[in-house]
Amino acid sequence: MIPPTFDYASPKSLSEAIGLLASRGEGAKVIAGGQSLIPLLKLRLASPSLLVDINRIHGLNRIEESGDSLRIGALTRMADVEASDLIMERYPIIHDASEVIGDPLVRNLGTVGGNVSHGDPNNDMPAVMLALGAAFVATGSAGERTIKAQDFFLDTFTVALNHDEILTEIRVPKSRPKSGGCYLKLEQKVADFATAGVAVQVRLIEGGECEEIGIGLTAVGPAAIKAKKAENWMRRKTWFDSRAVEELARLAAQEANPMTDIRGTAAYKRQVVARLVSRAFRRACKRAGGAL
Ligand SMILES: Cc1cc2nc3c(=O)[nH]c(=O)nc-3n(C[C@H](O)[C@H](O)[C@H](O)COP(=O)(O)OP(=O)(O)OC[C@H]3O[C@@H](n4cnc5c(N)ncnc54)[C@H](O)[C@@H]3O)c2cc1C
């Protein structure tokens, strides 16, 4: 289908882009890679009066460690995340997800910022960012603010950005010794959205105790889910305590809130979550230096 008519602007600076968004109110929308927004326009599920293309704004496309965090510019293409040695070596959970998002064409254009800002519970990066305890930097008319990932994903297609705010950067706590993570996704066919996906990030201490753990779930609720009960359960338990891991998986599945749809029944998806959580947890612990 042909999208409805819209105005188009391609500002070169963040302040110009924010000014445009503020002047048009709710009718204006940011466009980055267009991999989620353009299909919505074509299906006429969205009809913004103005598209503010942020691709010409410098400085929003980078991957670097700085201070106590990994900083990923919001305009960084998924293909650049996938190809980043820094991410592959030190943040494998992000690499895992970058490899299974759509197909190479989607990843060449789709951005990390767009993936999280879209608020689609089926997108893969939100769960990863929840597991990592990431924070999102938003810049708008009122200045810059930082929003924790756990406060960002409010509902289906609803995130905690104001209409005049642009997500500029994602900050992930810097990788520490004895930490590791893993993202696993079950898909019906290659390049599909998840039937369910699971992100697990851990930090182990002496004796194999799990000091820190973050768990995010994809496609099993109206928004990405942080499985807090499961996280709390596993803290201070040893990674090789198989009964504890079984309970961890059960609790995470209980926190999932899936719907029956073409990808499976709600009960099936809960079982998938349980199975993926225990696998992702073990792989994360292995990457953190726990022997298996
Ligand atoms: C065939 C196909 C398969 C796909 N498969 C997957 C998949 O398996 N997993 C997956 O996770 N995704 C998948 N996607 C979705 C898509 O890849 C992601 O949602 C994509 O990363 C979105 O990024 P984008 O830059 O293209 O965003 P856009 O489409 O440009 O924007 C998406 C939304 O985010 C907003 N936005 C974008 N950037 C910003 C910003 N910096 N600040 C504020 N708001 C912003 C836009 O206003 C819009 O509402 C698929 C898409 C296609 C077409």
Side-chain angles (χ1 to χ4, degrees), residues 45-120:
L45 293 172
S47 47
S49 62
L50 169 67
L51 286 188
V52 179
D53 184 341
I54 58 172
N55 283 283
R56 291 207 302 163
I57 302 174
H58 287 292
L60 298 183
N61 182 353
R62 65 182 183 288
I63 301 171
E64 65 189 16
E65 280 184 326
S66 169
D68 56 4
S69 51
L70 166 74
R71 297 174 181 218
I72 307 177
L75 255 188
T76 308
R77 309 289 158 185
M78 219 56 80
D80 292 330
V81 173
E82 192 184 1
S84 160
D85 289 337
L86 173 65
I87 289 200
M88 204 182 311
E89 281 157 26
R90 290 177 52 76
Y91 305 89
I93 186 174
I94 303 178
H95 179 79
D96 290 345
S98 71
E99 279 189 315
V100 293
I101 290 176
D103 52 40
L105 295 179
V106 170
R107 300 201 287 273
N108 281 343
L109 284 169
T111 64
V112 185
N115 197 284
V116 295
S117 301
H118 193 46
D120 187 339

Side-chain angles (χ1 to χ4, degrees), residues 21 28-40 51 54 60 74-78 97 100-103 106-107 109-120 122-126 159 161 165-168 185 187 191-194 218:
L21 291 172
K29 254 202 159 324
V30 170
I31 185 160
Q35 295 305 291
S36 290
L37 188 53
I38 289 178
L40 287 187
L51 286 188
I54 58 172
L60 298 183
L75 255 188
T76 308
R77 309 289 158 185
M78 219 56 80
V100 293
I101 290 176
D103 52 40
V106 170
R107 300 201 287 273
L109 284 169
T111 64
V112 185
N115 197 284
V116 295
S117 301
H118 193 46
D120 187 339
N122 301 308
N123 276 4
D124 295 292
M125 279 299 168
V159 297
L161 290 174
E165 281 181 321
I166 295 177
L167 176 69
T168 49
K185 162 182 178 177
E187 51 192 6
D192 196 8
F193 284 96
T218 300

Side-chain angles (χ1 to χ4, degrees), residues 1 10 12 49 65 88 108 123 140 166 183 200 207 213-214 241:
M1 263 172 46
S10 178
K12 280 190 181 157
S49 62
E65 280 184 326
M88 204 182 311
N108 281 343
N123 276 4
I166 295 177
Y183 183 71
V200 180
I213 177 164
D241 177 347

Side-chain angles (χ1 to χ4, degrees), residues 126-143:
V128 170
M129 296 305 159
L130 285 171
L132 282 164
F136 301 119
V137 181
T139 311
S141 312

